[in-house]
Amino acid sequence: MFQDPVLAGGLARVLAGNTNITCKARLIGWIAGERVGGIFFQDHRDLCSLCDEIATQFIQQGGVIQCSLEQLRRLSSVQEVSSQHIHGRLAELSDDHAQMIHDCEFVLTLQGDQLDSTVEDLLSRCIALHKSCANRLTSLKSTVQSQLQ
């Protein structure tokens, strides 16, 4: 059992959000097709690897993974796709990456100096990956917008 319920809740939220954003990015990549799908598939691989690391750390800290997609959805700050157009979907995904950065920074802030260095490194890498994904999406949105005009 987790000794720190705040850390447990924070890591659970980060894990759920990363799992949901990974699925969402993959689905948008399938829908977008070859013109933009390649970016999503690389992000998918990177996010999957990160999810595995977060889950491993969560379990090592005493957390219990819930085997319910509904529970993951409820824990996550990532929302379902609502836009019907590729540009809107890209904007939503960009917002999701920003939310994940916020979630990771929030856990880091709450824990301060008491945070395990392995968890701190993991959350810092998570932030860096989401920033990188968000930057690629910003460029991609501009490209898609110019193709649509």
Side-chain angles (χ1 to χ4, degrees), residues 51-139:
C51 283
D52 289 344
E53 289 183 65
I54 295 168
T56 299
Q57 192 56 231
F58 184 72
I59 292 166
Q60 287 177 353
Q61 296 283 335
V64 177
I65 303 289
Q66 302 298 321
C67 291
S68 164
L69 293 175
E70 178 59 27
Q71 286 177 320
L72 277 176
R73 187 192 63 72
R74 278 185 290 174
L75 279 174
S76 174
S77 56
V78 174
Q79 302 299 311
E80 291 288 327
V81 175
S82 62
S83 178
Q84 298 299 313
H85 305 286
I86 187 65
H87 196 267
R89 289 176 179 160
L90 295 175
E92 287 178 22
L93 195 55
S94 183
D95 291 345
D96 293 337
H97 285 293
Q99 181 62 50
M100 289 309 307
I101 292 166
H102 173 76
D103 289 353
C104 291
E105 288 174 341
F106 185 71
V107 175
L108 286 171
T109 302
L110 286 176
Q111 293 303 303
D113 295 337
Q114 300 172 7
L115 191 61
D116 175 87
S117 63
T118 304
V119 175
E120 184 176 9
D121 176 64
L122 181 59
L123 291 171
S124 295
R125 288 188 296 117
C126 187
I127 290 167
L129 177 59
H130 285 290
K131 284 181 179 179
S132 175
C133 291
N135 288 339
R136 278 195 297 280
L137 282 168
T138 299
S139 297

Side-chain angles (χ1 to χ4, degrees), residues 16-62:
N18 274 290
T19 302
N20 285 336
I21 203 170
T22 299
C23 292
K24 190 174 183 177
R26 189 62 182 231
L27 290 170
I28 292 172
W30 289 334
I31 293 165
E34 289 186 26
R35 75 179 167 161
V36 296
I39 289 175
F40 292 104
F41 297 134
Q42 179 59 47
D43 289 348
H44 181 263
R45 285 189 292 271
D46 294 343
L47 288 165
C48 280
S49 177
L50 188 62
C51 283
D52 289 344
E53 289 183 65
I54 295 168
T56 299
Q57 192 56 231
F58 184 72
I59 292 166
Q60 287 177 353
Q61 296 283 335

